[in-house]
Amino acid sequence: MKTTTCAFTGHRPKSFPWGYDESAPDCVLLKEVLAAQISALAERGITDFLSGMAQGVDLWCAQIVLDLKKKYPSLKLHAILPCEEQERKWPAATQALYRSILDQADEVVYVNRGYSANCMLERNRYMVDRASILLAVYNGTFRCGTGMTVRYAQKLGRETIVIDPVLRHMTHTPSVTK
């Protein structure tokens, strides 16, 4: 675990009231909150950001890190992929964004080469195991990958920052030394 590393987790667009409409006012506001939080982490000395590169929050956060590199050149984006071709069934525009972000990432890691039933979970644990902070956009749903990732980070005593996607209320849990 590196003390200068933050991992991202969050829901896919289908879980948000605005769905895939990124121009919706609530989506725009959520992205602004994410940008402010990632900027605040950079100000704290966090330099390495791990994105699982899934649709929605992961891609938004990855793009924010790339945009912030102009102001904070020491930032590094690590794309942590669950398997090859995770984007294969996505819309063409989202695939293009995904590939553009991968091209600009400082590192691309494949947790698995091929798809398996657990590859997303393995990717999420890989990120939490290597990060001191988890930044999550989480609506409180118990049975979902984001919820499992938040609980895993808390079990390991990681600092967690959870943003409610609709209210944009933030909950912060400091790290617990184990």
Side-chain angles (χ1 to χ4, degrees), residues 5 32 46 61 80 83 99 101 111 136-137 175:
T5 303
E32 289 173 2
I46 303 303
C61 289
I80 313 299
C83 60
R99 290 189 190 107
I101 292 171
V111 176
V137 174
S175 65

Side-chain angles (χ1 to χ4, degrees), residues 4 6 12 19 37 39-40 49 51-52 54 63 69-70 84 86 101 112 114 119 123 132 146 157 162 169 174:
T4 59
C6 174
R12 307 303 171 265
Q37 189 58 55
S39 185
F49 293 90
S51 173
Q63 187 62 61
K69 284 179 96 168
K70 296 168 187 82
E84 292 179 345
Q86 98 167 313
I101 292 171
N112 295 284
C119 69
R123 182 255 337 259
S132 60
T146 300
V162 178
H169 175 263

Side-chain angles (χ1 to χ4, degrees), residues 50-96:
L50 310 178
S51 173
M53 298 294 291
Q55 289 186 72
V57 173
D58 290 5
L59 289 180
W60 301 340
C61 289
Q63 187 62 61
I64 290 166
V65 170
L66 293 175
D67 293 344
L68 286 173
K69 284 179 96 168
K70 296 168 187 82
K71 182 175 180 183
Y72 306 100
S74 63
L75 298 188
K76 295 200 177 344
L77 175 64
H78 305 268
I80 313 299
L81 308 180
C83 60
E84 292 179 345
E85 298 184 342
Q86 98 167 313
E87 80 289 3
R88 186 169 44 96
K89 296 181 180 178
W90 298 355
T94 308
Q95 287 186 37

